[in-house]
Amino acid sequence: PDPSSEPFCTIGGNLGNNSSGSRGMRYGSMKEYEAYLDVVLADGSEVRLEPVALEDGRLREAESRGDLFGKIVAGTHRLVAEHADLIRRYEPHTSKNSAGYNLFEAVRDGRLDLARLVGGSDGTLAVILEAGLRVVPKPRERASVLLWFTDLEKAGEAVHHILLLGPSACEIMERHFLDIVRAEGIISEKFLPKEADTVLLVEQLSDSRAENEAFIAGVRRLVVDELGLAFGAVDAYDPQEQENLWQVRKRAVQILQRLPGPRRVLPFIEDITVPPDKLVAFIRGLREVLNRSGAEAAVYGHAGDSNLHARPMLDTRVAADVERMRAIADGVARLTIDLGGTISCEHGDGLTRSAYLCLQFGPLYDVMRDLKCLWDPKGILNPGKIITDERKIHLEDLRLEPGWSRRPTGEAFDREPWAGELERCHGCGTCRAYCPVYLVTRDEVASPRAKANLLREAIAGNLGLAALDEERMRAVADLCYNCKTCLVECPSGVDVPGLVLRHKEHLAERGGLGFCDRLMGKVRLMGRVGSAMAPVANFFLRRGAVRWMMEKAGGIGRRAAMPAFSRGGVKEGTAVGPDGDPVRKVAYFAGCFELFNEPASGRAAVAVLEALGCEVLISEQRCCGIVKISAGDAEAAAKDREFNLAVLAPLAEAGYTIVSGCPSCVLVLAEDYPEMVPGDARARLVAEHTRDIHDLVEEIAGDAFSRGGSDLSAVASAKAGDPPRKGLWQGRRLAYHAPCHLRAAGRGEQPKRLLERLLGIRFAVTNMTCCGMGGTFGVKAKNADLSEAIAEAVVERIRASGAEAVVTSCGMCRTQLAHGTGLVVYHPMELLAAALQSSPTEPVRVSE
């Protein structure tokens, strides 16, 4: 199956829900691929469930057992036989169904198949340990066509005709959803003209491109030319173009969840399906139900299965909207059942739909209740789902219930955007698939959604405002080290790192800043002193006794990777440039790491910029403040910010582009400063003029390539005739690591692409997950084990690739990876500088 949640959903979840997805009309649901299931029954016994012929001696042997499994086998066989007519009468005539228990296929082809009952049972009959699954070959070619309609009903009518041609997928998206897509700017007008009220995305899979082309031509001819239902269409055969089209559909939930409040999309009627010839009737009926309730809804889904996902927009804090939910749920359930459909076909019944199963199955529901009692006599397996006494939609556990409100705190939580951010998390749990801390600890409290939940409940008064200051809440806040992955991965776009930072600021103002945090905040002072005493400082940093004392006195881990100090970095206040007019005037913000720990990368960056024809001024600076910001020390970070803005704003006004090779510095200058002082015109100006060095080099190099350059030496105006210098990368297997803050800015792979284009490098492996350093998080003794555990997967991936060196642009990532892999780790600019023969390079040195 390939549901839209495929980047993070699991096989277990797919089995529990009997999931399907866009291509369900071709490949069916999960139940079709269950060869066997190993399960734990309600009494703790483990058994294997697989089809057994009714005449097989093994079946009679199992039925004669006196244990729970024997009772289940005999009882299920008896229930299905005794109620065969009832089962046939209430079987949904739809291509997909996950409502209730699958009594309809418990006996089929002369075999009893208990696995068909457990799949799609929401975990209410047994717990699945292992699944044996059948697979089918994946076709080599695919093609798509996007059909444009002036209204939803014409699209619904077209579906019936398209199905006769045998597509692999047929997806529908209607006006409200398309308006949101247009506002997001996700897809160009070439693919989505303004006149399109509804679109169908039709796909064909086969092993022959010619066959696909013939199919697409047939769809266009039928729907556009002959029937006149669609007013136009656009084909896509190129894999990237198809991916762009499909991303619109697959990102549907993500797009909808990011809509601003107060009304938000609610998924309480979004898994219905009806027979294909009733789709138009259902669409009309759905509109009538919504109109009666005065609600709007975004409608999209798998039109080929007549499986629609309608998400009304309501505010559950308003009692009238909660009543609308009840009315809409009741109306849609009755509409669906009257049309011979099913209220749940791939997402499971859960709390939302279980109450309507009695309406759908009538007297057959009592048989399902008997089945539940047979399998789970004490009712201990996921109680309240599928079998329930409720007969209306369950609304007792709303995240934001009527009357919900925030209590004044006197903190940033009282103001936008943070007041709104507290309400945006809808608890989907996607963060459990990407949060580096949760992935290692598997503790719910470490997940981003837990932090959002706790802060929201505290500020609503459900935990008491005093809970914000409690030690337990401090410990939860410390589990977020501001990697900012939430900014790119959270479907709802919730800025959980920002919320946690506001909490840390709250704690810091009340004396919650620890000694280690205060010490780490003096990174520039420590760097300046360490650099001045580099040989001596590095000698002592390698001594076990010194590291032991640092741990005991300052909380700095004795095992943590620590960058060595170096001299000879770029000098603040100096400038270099070409003899003639520069291509660009650049104010280079070196960052503390390049100034005091790794001067080679700073020198390489300046050399590359100069070689590309830039006038480079190394600006006076203080630390960007990322360490203090991440600790919640807003007061100390403000002093650094004010100094940097006073220096950089006039340079921006004078036409300088502010550039840095450190992703964290770029993120702070471009994102954090304007957020810290929203009304400061200097902060906005600096943010608008700040660029990551890879971004700028790519732009300048791209201009040169468009004028006929073919390699890096041709791009560099100062070195136009020199061939790239061999060494560093040529003949070596390299690994690329994308720093978290670069990924948060949407440029995680940009340095990799730049090196591939300019130097012809092909990386052995690309890592897009956190390496566990998290700035200074991994340096602290209390985080040592956790940091190492997060790094382990990254280190093993790089080692397994056979890489001989690593490339990444974050200084602390380079320190962690050099420490973990034992390999040389380069900044991308070092490789470019070497190719230009402009600077000797030095690998990262690590003090153990």
Side-chain angles (χ1 to χ4, degrees):
D2 60 342
S4 57
S5 57
E6 62 179 323
F8 50 85
C9 68
T10 66
I11 291 294
N14 279 261
L15 287 165
N17 288 345
N18 187 33
S19 296
S20 182
S22 299
R23 297 171 184 89
M25 57 185 300
R26 169 73 62 85
Y27 295 106
S29 301
M30 199 70 180
K31 63 185 180 184
E32 271 94 44
Y33 301 95
E34 298 170 350
Y36 68 83
L37 298 178
D38 288 342
V39 303
V40 174
L41 300 177
D43 66 349
S45 60
E46 297 182 21
V47 296
R48 171 165 290 191
L49 307 180
E50 56 188 338
V52 180
L54 298 179
E55 304 303 322
D56 194 319
R58 290 180 300 163
L59 180 60
R60 291 189 292 274
E61 181 182 336
E63 289 179 327
S64 64
R65 292 169 51 165
D67 57 8
L68 178 61
F69 181 57
K71 294 176 182 177
I72 287 173
V73 175
T76 301
H77 191 185
R78 175 181 51 79
L79 282 175
V80 173
E82 289 180 358
H83 302 284
D85 292 340
L86 202 60
I87 291 170
R88 279 194 297 272
R89 189 193 316 167
Y90 285 96
E91 181 175 5
H93 298 291
T94 56
S95 59
K96 294 192 291 191
N97 175 51
S98 289
Y101 293 125
N102 189 16
L103 291 167
F104 319 103
E105 297 179 289
V107 174
R108 58 192 181 89
D109 301 327
R111 297 184 300 174
L112 179 68
D113 190 352
L114 298 184
R116 286 286 177 116
L117 282 172
V118 172
S121 67
D122 287 14
T124 61
L125 298 182
V127 178
I128 302 172
L129 296 179
E130 179 176 303
L133 302 177
R134 288 184 288 272
V135 296
V136 294
K138 183 178 180 179
R140 293 191 300 269
E141 298 281 343
R142 73 168 178 157
S144 301
V145 58
L146 192 67
L147 297 157
W148 306 319
F149 300 85
T150 55
D151 65 62
L152 184 60
E153 290 192 10
K154 285 184 179 179
E157 185 180 344
V159 170
H160 177 67
H161 298 281
I162 292 170
L163 292 183
L164 299 176
L165 302 178
S168 61
C170 182
E171 299 291 293
I172 191 168
M173 293 163 272
E174 59 76 62
R175 182 181 67 254
H176 291 101
F177 176 71
L178 295 180
D179 286 344
I180 295 164
V181 171
R182 290 184 178 107
E184 291 279 323
I186 292 172
I187 188 169
S188 71
E189 195 170 328
K190 168 190 172 184
F191 295 107
L192 193 58
K194 296 177 182 178
E195 302 84 358
D197 171 273
T198 302
V199 299
L200 289 177
L201 178 57
V202 182
E203 179 197 75
Q204 182 62 297
L205 295 172
S206 76
D207 289 326
S208 165
R209 168 145 183 170
E211 186 177 322
N212 286 348
E213 290 176 347
F215 170 84
I216 296 297
V219 170
R220 291 184 66 127
R221 184 169 55 252
L222 177 64
V223 179
V224 180
D225 301 332
E226 297 176 9
L227 299 174
L229 294 172
F231 68 83
V234 60
D235 304 346
Y237 296 94
D238 175 74
Q240 188 55 55
E241 279 198 351
Q242 291 195 77
E243 189 59 30
N244 291 340
L245 290 180
W246 277 92
Q247 278 304 309
V248 176
R249 169 61 186 89
K250 286 185 175 292
R251 290 177 60 192
V253 176
Q254 178 177 338
I255 294 167
L256 294 172
Q257 290 293 351
R258 294 192 179 203
L259 291 175
R263 291 188 169 184
R264 300 194 182 281
V265 292
L266 298 173
F268 62 97
I269 56 167
E270 52 80 63
D271 193 31
I272 53 82
T273 187
V274 295
D277 60 344
K278 301 293 180 62
L279 179 60
V280 173
F282 176 80
I283 292 172
R284 290 177 184 146
L286 174 62
R287 281 182 163 169
E288 290 175 6
V289 171
L290 293 171
N291 289 338
R292 284 199 303 269
S293 300
E296 289 187 337
V299 180
Y300 60 96
H302 315 307
D305 291 307
S306 300
N307 174 200
L308 294 185
H309 302 306
R311 299 206 169 193
M313 300 177 190
L314 299 167
D315 184 356
T316 58
R317 297 171 301 175
V318 178
D321 273 12
V322 174
E323 287 306 309
R324 288 190 181 95
M325 285 182 69
R326 295 186 194 277
I328 293 169
D330 288 352
V332 170
R334 292 186 180 278
L335 172 66
T336 304
I337 294 164
D338 287 346
L339 293 175
T342 179
I343 60 172
S344 176
C345 66
E346 63 175 359
H347 290 181
D349 297 312
L351 288 170
T352 311
R353 287 174 281 275
S354 291
Y356 296 104
L357 293 175
C358 183
L359 181 66
Q360 176 166 337
F361 293 117
L364 183 60
Y365 188 65
D366 292 332
V367 180
M368 293 182 179
R369 187 186 297 275
D370 291 342
L371 185 80
K372 167 68 172 176
C373 292
L374 181 65
W375 284 69
D376 182 19
K378 297 181 180 179
I380 63 173
L381 296 177
N382 204 12
K385 319 302 189 304
I386 299 183
I387 300 303
T388 176
D389 292 329
E390 295 192 50
R391 294 296 176 261
K392 296 287 184 180
I393 184 173
H394 182 92
L395 296 176
E396 282 64 55
D397 296 294
L398 294 172
R399 188 170 298 274
L400 301 176
E401 71 279 1
W404 188 94
S405 63
R406 296 182 294 268
R407 303 286 182 88
T409 64
E411 303 289 345
F413 299 119
D414 299 340
R415 305 183 296 274
E416 294 299 340
W418 306 113
E421 287 299 302
L422 283 167
E423 302 169 14
R424 286 172 60 79
C425 175
H426 68 289
C428 69
T430 305
C431 50
R432 289 157 52 110
Y434 65 73
C435 174
V437 178
Y438 174 80
L439 287 171
V440 167
T441 64
R442 295 293 176 179
D443 186 349
E444 174 65 22
V445 80
S447 70
R449 72 172 178 183
K451 300 175 184 68
N453 286 342
L454 287 169
L455 286 172
R456 184 182 62 251
E457 293 303 304
I459 290 167
N462 296 331
L463 297 179
L465 287 177
L468 287 173
D469 303 330
E470 289 184 4
E471 190 59 37
R472 290 178 298 172
M473 288 287 279
R474 293 171 189 258
V476 173
D478 283 343
L479 290 174
C480 176
Y481 52 73
N482 196 27
C483 74
K484 296 191 182 293
T485 305
C486 293
L487 300 185
V488 291
E489 298 287 354
C490 174
S492 299
V494 184
D495 187 0
V496 176
L499 287 171
V500 175
L501 290 180
R502 304 294 82 78
H503 184 212
K504 288 183 176 181
E505 290 170 7
H506 170 88
L507 295 171
E509 290 173 0
R510 287 156 178 74
L513 199 65
F515 176 74
C516 188
D517 287 324
R518 291 195 296 271
L519 181 65
M520 288 287 129
K522 302 184 184 300
V523 59
R524 183 174 172 87
L525 174 61
M526 290 190 296
R528 188 178 291 280
V529 172
S531 178
M533 303 173 59
V536 177
N538 293 333
F539 173 81
F540 280 108
L541 281 175
R542 289 191 291 267
R543 305 276 74 81
V546 173
R547 295 295 295 270
W548 180 85
M549 287 189 291
M550 290 170 64
E551 180 170 301
K552 295 302 179 185
I556 299 175
R558 72 183 84 174
R559 303 196 316 268
M562 291 283 287
F565 294 105
S566 297
R567 296 176 179 173
V570 293
K571 302 297 183 184
E572 297 169 73
T574 61
V576 296
D579 295 333
D581 293 334
V583 171
R584 192 74 58 92
K585 294 198 300 182
V586 170
Y588 190 71
F589 192 91
C592 299
F593 205 88
E594 290 183 4
L595 289 172
F596 308 121
N597 301 102
E598 194 182 310
S601 59
R603 294 197 305 269
V606 172
V608 169
L609 291 171
E610 182 186 6
L612 293 177
C614 296
E615 175 188 308
V616 186
L617 168 67
I618 295 92
S619 61
E620 296 284 349
Q621 61 187 266
R622 285 189 182 174
C623 175
C624 68
I626 184 65
V627 176
K628 296 166 187 172
I629 291 170
S630 297
D633 193 357
E635 183 178 348
K639 296 176 182 177
D640 293 330
R641 181 193 70 231
E642 288 303 306
F643 180 92
N644 290 330
L645 289 178
V647 171
L648 297 175
L651 290 173
E653 287 181 342
Y656 280 84
T657 301
I658 301 161
V659 176
S660 180
C662 172
S664 298
C665 291
V666 172
L667 200 65
V668 170
L669 297 176
E671 303 289 341
D672 288 341
Y673 281 3
E675 191 176 273
M676 294 165 76
V677 280
D680 195 322
R682 299 172 307 158
R684 290 198 305 272
L685 182 66
V686 168
E688 290 168 0
H689 286 77
T690 296
R691 302 280 293 277
D692 181 87
I693 191 169
H694 308 93
D695 192 28
L696 183 66
V697 170
E698 184 173 62
E699 179 184 315
I700 296 173
D703 290 343
F705 267 99
S706 67
R707 294 193 299 270
S710 60
D711 60 21
L712 182 62
S713 57
V715 170
S717 60
K719 299 284 183 179
D722 295 343
R725 192 180 84 180
K726 292 186 177 181
L728 286 189
W729 77 92
Q730 292 188 351
R732 306 177 73 187
R733 291 176 64 84
L734 298 180
Y736 173 73
H737 172 76
C740 292
H741 286 175
L742 199 62
R743 286 189 289 113
R747 295 190 296 270
E749 291 195 86
Q750 189 173 35
K752 172 179 174 283
R753 292 195 304 266
L754 186 68
L755 294 176
E756 289 174 340
R757 183 181 186 189
L758 296 184
L759 301 182
I761 293 175
R762 292 295 176 265
F763 289 90
V765 67
T766 297
N767 181 67
M768 298 292 287
T769 58
C770 182
C771 70
M773 184 55 100
T776 59
F777 175 86
V779 175
K780 299 172 186 175
K782 65 179 182 179
N783 302 326
D785 291 340
L786 182 55
S787 177
E788 287 182 6
I790 295 171
E792 184 177 354
V794 179
V795 169
E796 287 304 313
R797 192 176 303 126
I798 291 173
R799 285 176 175 165
S801 74
E804 300 166 88
V806 185
V807 179
T808 189
S809 56
C810 170
M812 293 307 285
C813 288
R814 293 201 293 280
T815 302
Q816 178 87 319
L817 294 175
H819 176 75
T821 66
L823 300 175
V824 175
V825 187
Y826 296 109
H827 191 289
M829 291 300 115
E830 293 183 87
L831 303 191
L832 294 179
L836 293 166
Q837 299 182 330
S838 57
S839 173
T841 56
E842 303 168 15
V844 172
R845 289 177 292 147
V846 179
S847 296
E848 300 294 343

